[in-house]
């Protein structure tokens, strides 16, 4: 599977997403952009899968999620129907926003409006990825869920008109693809990417499968495109969030990892992480996902307030 290609098939009931995160060189700003076909956290898609097991159309549930952190916070995630989706191998358009590859760079043109506060995010994000990774890693025993690191070691230029922002920083990009809902096969996971000296990146994945078995990945990505496993250090609990989401990561002996929460939701938390890996202190982005909480009825009832849906194409 070509991780960069936007035109790969997405199975009924399945998903494909492309993820980019970045932090500014001065530490003042952060950004996450996720483009979904088959929006895995959509209450509308979850309902469609319950009504039509194995046959729900992922193309009818697409979204571009944007999160800005720092002095000018924004959060957007409007779900759109199949008529808002256009894609080929090199470009993906969902409503008024578009992702497209230009040689070794990915340009993301954003035009989104948040909810419940209708605050706009408009402008461009350009990800420079001199080396690209072609590997794919299965997260479950049967290969229903794949993680595809695209550009673990990248740079970004963020140039927005709304809100007015312009900055450069380190960035990371990957993709996930699956033929089943996440909550069918996992109960929770913890993920992080951390910057190493010399422009390298360390990625940790710890998933708890629904059959009770754990699965872990610890990978060192070189700035020149190489990838190798390393022995993951011991697991450490991080403080829970205000919503009670359990968080954990890994850190070498003698170091207590720390997390500064960026996103705190009933089933998901994103944080800035300080820990120690491969013999050096590292700083990165950490995520914890509780899929038992996500599938609960009260969470499904809350989600539409942050994730409005527009079935027809609309800006």
């Amino acid at each position: 599977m070509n991780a960069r290609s936007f035109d790969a098939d997405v199975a009924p009931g399945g998903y494909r997403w492309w993820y980019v995160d970045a932090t500014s060189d001065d530490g003042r700003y952060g950004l996450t952009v996720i483009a979904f076909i088959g929006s895995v956290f959509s209450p509308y898609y979850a309902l469609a899968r319950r009504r039509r097991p194995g046959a729900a159309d992922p193309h009818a549930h697409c979204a571009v999620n944007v999160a800005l952190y720092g002095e000018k916070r924004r959060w957007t995630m409007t779900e759109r129907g199949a008529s808002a989706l256009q894609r080929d191998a090199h470009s993906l358009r969902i409503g008024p926003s578009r992702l497209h590859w230009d040689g070794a760079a990915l340009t993301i043109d954003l035009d989104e409006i948040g909810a419940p506060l209708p605050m706009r995010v408009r402008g461009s994000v350009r990800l420079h990825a001199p080396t690209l990774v072609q590997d794919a890693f299965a997260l479950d025993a049967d290969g229903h869920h794949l993680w595809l690191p695209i550009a673990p070691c990248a740079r970004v230029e963020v140039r927005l008109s709304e809100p007015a922002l312009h900055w450069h920083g380190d960035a990371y990009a990957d993709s996930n693809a699956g033929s089943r809902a996440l909550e069918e096969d996992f109960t929770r996971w913890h993920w992080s990417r951390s910057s190493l000296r010399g422009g390298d990146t360390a990625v940790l994945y710890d998933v708890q499968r629904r059959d009770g078995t754990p699965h872990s990945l610890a990978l060192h990505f070189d700035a020149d495109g190489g990838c190798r496993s390393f022995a993951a250090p011991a697991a450490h609990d991080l403080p829970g969030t205000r919503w009670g989401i359990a968080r954990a990561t890994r850190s070498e002996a003698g170091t207590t990892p720390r997390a500064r929460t960026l996103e705190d939701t009933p089933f998901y938390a994103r944080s800035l992480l300080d820990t120690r890996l491969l013999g050096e202190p590292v700083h990165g982005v950490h995520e914890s996902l509780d899929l038992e909480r996500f599938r609960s009825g009260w969470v499904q009832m809350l989600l539409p307030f942050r994730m409005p849906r527009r079935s027809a194409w609309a800006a």
Side-chain angles (χ1 to χ4, degrees), residues 198-308:
D200 293 0
T201 295
V203 174
L204 298 173
Y205 238 124
D206 285 285
V207 304
Q208 188 71 31
R209 296 165 174 163
R210 188 156 293 282
D211 64 9
T213 61
H215 178 61
S216 298
L217 292 170
L219 298 170
H220 179 175
F221 293 95
D222 298 332
D224 61 4
C227 173
R228 60 187 180 274
S229 299
F230 67 93
H236 289 261
D237 289 335
L238 294 164
T241 68
R242 288 176 297 176
W243 281 101
I245 298 300
R247 294 183 290 186
T249 190
R250 294 179 179 272
S251 186
E252 293 175 349
T255 303
T256 301
R258 295 177 297 169
R260 178 161 64 89
T261 305
L262 296 174
E263 202 74 56
D264 187 358
T265 81
F267 67 94
Y268 173 85
R270 179 179 295 130
S271 313
L272 293 179
L273 176 69
D274 291 296
T275 186
R276 185 176 180 87
L277 299 171
L278 297 166
E280 60 181 278
V282 296
H283 178 75
V285 176
H286 178 276
E287 298 180 340
S288 289
L289 173 63
D290 186 333
L291 289 158
E292 293 289 83
R293 182 75 68 81
F294 168 74
R295 74 195 309 194
S296 66
W298 67 271
V299 169
Q300 291 294 308
M301 290 179 62
L302 289 175
L303 289 176
F305 292 98
R306 296 295 300 277
M307 302 180 188

Side-chain angles (χ1 to χ4, degrees), residues 13 35 52 64 66 73 86 119 146-147 161 173-174 279 285 311:
R52 301 184 64 202
V64 175
V66 184
R73 292 180 65 94
Q86 301 174 27
M119 303 176 74
L146 299 178
W147 167 61
S161 58
D174 70 12
V285 176
S311 299

Side-chain angles (χ1 to χ4, degrees), residues 114-175:
L117 298 177
M119 303 176 74
R120 187 177 290 274
V121 177
R122 177 182 285 163
S124 69
V125 176
R126 187 161 173 82
L127 181 107
H128 300 274
T131 57
L132 301 170
V133 177
Q134 299 298 328
D135 297 324
F137 300 85
L139 299 179
D140 65 308
D142 297 321
H144 294 302
H145 305 271
L146 299 178
W147 167 61
L148 305 99
I150 299 173
C153 311
R155 292 283 296 171
V156 74
E157 180 184 10
V158 176
R159 188 182 293 272
L160 302 180
S161 58
E162 296 183 65
L165 287 173
H166 182 204
W167 51 267
H168 296 80
D170 288 330
Y172 167 96
D174 70 12
S175 182

Side-chain angles (χ1 to χ4, degrees), residues 49-60:
R49 290 195 302 263
R50 290 195 297 271
R51 288 176 171 173
R52 301 184 64 202
D57 182 7
H59 308 90

